[in-house]
Amino acid sequence: MRHLHRPLTTAARPFTSAHTYRRWAYLIIGGALLTPYAMAGLVLATLITQGGTAQESPGPGGWVLGLLITLAALAATARVPAVAGAQHQLARALLRGPLNLLPDTPPAPGARTFVWLCLFTFTGMAVCLATMVGLTESALLAVAPLTGDPLAPAGPLTVLGPSPEPVPSPLGPLAGLALLLAVIAAVALTGHLMARLAPRLLGPSPASLLADAQARARTLAERNRLARELHDSLGHALSVITLQSATAARLIDTDPDFARQALTHIADQARTATADLDHALGILREDTTAPTAPPPDLTHLTHLAETASHTGTPLRLALDGDPRAVPALLSRETYRIAQQALTNALTHAPGRPLDLTLDIAPRHLHLTATNPLPPRRPLGRRRTGGRGITGMQERAHLLGGTLTAGPHPAADPTHWTLDLTLNWKDTDTP
């Protein structure tokens, strides 16, 4: 029985699915929308072909002219900007299907909207007629045994004339049920085809999809850049504040002068962190002007070393070359990498010296940060890895450089070494 259950479920799905009846309502709306256009076109065509009177039914020429007037009215409607959006939203709400998987961007008014309006209204009118005839005939067939008539109508063909093969009244309910199921199946198939066509005519154009993808990529890249900025700047400031506040609390009784200096540096770091946060938020807010204070770069490395000395972590800085010769973007990003290297040393190896070496050539720089590894912790007290190294590697990759970080067993397994290499061309501008 189980192998028969799945085919039966699949066959019954068009009759039990809510999509079928939702799309049925959608198509009936299309038929109702076509009615005033078709009536107006037919009346105008009759008046034109009959010299201003409508005494007789329109001939073949009148029907053709009426169709052309209807199409012209639909084309004018498709040019209205709000129509494309309304059709898009109506199809998403009732047709659903693949259109709902695309971005909620309506098409621009034009040819695609016109084609969809024609398809929507004329198909809807056909579904309206099939619904009226099919439901009426199926109901007449179903009640045939109750009327006492020996014969019953034979389905929708009776609207065109007498049925060639009348159905005996006892079989009327079965014929009515079969006709009803046929109408539902036809509507389900029509709605499915309309749902498959909707993305091509009501969905965003390929150019719009490409523009949206590029905009999302730019937004994601900007978010990642701001995340790195906040992680490196605020992470460094908070690490320094944590160490200096702990030192000030420990020495406030025995060495109040040093504790006072530590508190002063805490205030400086807090102001720096506030400025960095304001810089990042200024980029996020579209209604604010760009911050005037430039972010720190390699010319601030000396200040970074002085800040580290107040935390009890000696930073030995060896600088070879002129930091001002480095392009501005590379200078800022390299400073952030050096700052994050110091933050990692303060966090994972507090109090241990950090050697920071920067060699600057005309088209090349090499940054090395080395500090002793802390004693191995018990397994239950291991720190979880953060995002610092990942952020530094992302910065280096975006600049076309290379960055490695970790202990080097071949050289000195007792030290952690960060190595950054960046190159640029003479034509690069800051």
Side-chain angles (χ1 to χ4, degrees):
M1 291 294 294
R2 181 176 298 178
H3 68 280
L4 294 176
H5 178 71
R6 182 172 297 175
L8 291 176
T9 302
T10 303
R13 187 174 300 161
F15 306 98
T16 59
S17 174
H19 286 308
T20 297
Y21 303 98
R22 190 184 299 111
R23 291 166 179 171
W24 199 341
Y26 176 78
L27 292 170
I28 290 176
I29 293 173
L33 181 62
L34 180 64
T35 300
Y37 288 91
M39 293 296 294
L42 189 59
V43 170
L44 289 176
T46 303
L47 293 174
I48 293 173
T49 56
Q50 297 183 9
T53 62
Q55 301 291 333
E56 302 175 359
S57 299
W63 286 102
V64 172
L65 182 58
L67 176 61
L68 294 177
I69 294 174
T70 302
L71 292 176
L74 289 174
T77 304
R79 300 298 301 178
V80 178
V83 170
Q87 288 294 318
H88 176 84
Q89 294 301 326
L90 184 61
R92 288 176 69 91
L94 296 180
L95 276 184
R96 300 195 179 181
L99 181 64
N100 291 56
L101 302 178
L102 298 176
D104 190 5
T105 305
R112 291 199 303 155
T113 305
F114 168 65
V115 173
W116 180 259
L117 270 178
C118 293
L119 186 65
F120 173 45
T121 55
F122 283 94
T123 304
M125 180 60 72
V127 170
C128 284
L129 294 175
T131 301
M132 290 186 294
V133 173
L135 294 183
T136 301
E137 294 289 352
S138 63
L140 292 175
L141 289 168
V143 299
L146 301 179
T147 62
D149 296 333
L151 299 177
L157 290 179
T158 57
V159 299
L160 303 178
S163 174
E165 296 182 2
V167 178
S169 59
L171 298 180
L174 292 179
L177 178 61
L179 179 60
L180 177 62
L181 294 178
V183 171
I184 296 176
V187 170
L189 178 61
T190 304
H192 175 73
L193 294 176
M194 291 286 288
R196 301 292 295 181
L197 287 173
R200 295 180 177 272
L201 298 175
L202 291 181
S205 64
S208 177
L209 288 175
L210 179 60
D212 289 342
Q214 292 174 342
R216 287 195 297 271
R218 288 193 297 268
T219 301
L220 182 59
E222 186 66 14
R223 288 177 58 185
N224 289 337
R225 186 181 73 83
L226 291 176
R228 289 192 299 268
E229 287 289 327
L230 292 175
H231 176 274
D232 294 349
S233 60
L234 296 185
H236 172 75
L238 293 176
S239 297
V240 172
I241 289 173
T242 300
L243 292 175
Q244 290 182 335
S245 59
T247 303
R250 187 175 65 252
L251 300 177
I252 193 169
D253 294 327
T254 59
D255 194 348
D257 291 336
F258 187 87
R260 189 178 297 109
Q261 292 179 1
L263 292 175
T264 301
H265 289 295
I266 289 175
D268 292 338
Q269 287 298 317
R271 283 191 291 269
T272 301
T274 302
D276 290 337
L277 180 61
D278 184 67
H279 176 80
L281 294 180
I283 297 176
L284 289 174
R285 296 193 188 101
E286 297 181 355
D287 57 343
T288 58
T289 58
T292 56
D297 55 20
L298 289 177
T299 59
H300 297 79
L301 272 183
T302 303
H303 178 70
L304 184 67
E306 294 174 354
T307 301
S309 65
H310 293 290
T311 64
T313 298
L315 192 153
R316 295 189 288 265
L317 176 62
L319 178 60
D320 184 12
D322 185 6
R324 293 173 297 181
V326 181
L329 176 61
L330 274 67
S331 182
R332 293 193 297 266
E333 297 298 306
T334 305
Y335 174 85
R336 289 302 189 192
I337 292 175
Q339 186 183 53
Q340 182 59 39
L342 174 58
T343 302
N344 289 346
L346 295 176
T347 303
H348 300 286
R352 294 177 175 268
L354 174 66
D355 293 325
L356 192 63
T357 303
L358 177 62
D359 294 323
I360 301 174
R363 292 180 295 175
H364 167 88
L365 70 80
H366 184 216
L367 176 71
T368 304
T370 305
N371 65 278
L373 289 171
R376 186 177 299 273
R377 298 183 179 87
L379 292 177
R381 298 179 57 191
R382 290 184 181 272
R383 293 178 182 262
T384 58
R387 299 180 179 273
I389 295 177
T390 301
M392 290 188 289
Q393 290 174 337
E394 289 176 352
R395 288 180 186 274
H397 177 72
L398 291 175
L399 297 174
T402 58
L403 185 144
T404 59
H408 294 276
D412 188 353
T414 63
H415 284 67
W416 179 280
T417 302
L418 179 143
D419 191 272
L420 168 68
T421 300
L422 289 178
N423 299 293
W424 64 90
K425 297 180 180 179
D426 291 335
T427 56
D428 289 350
T429 57

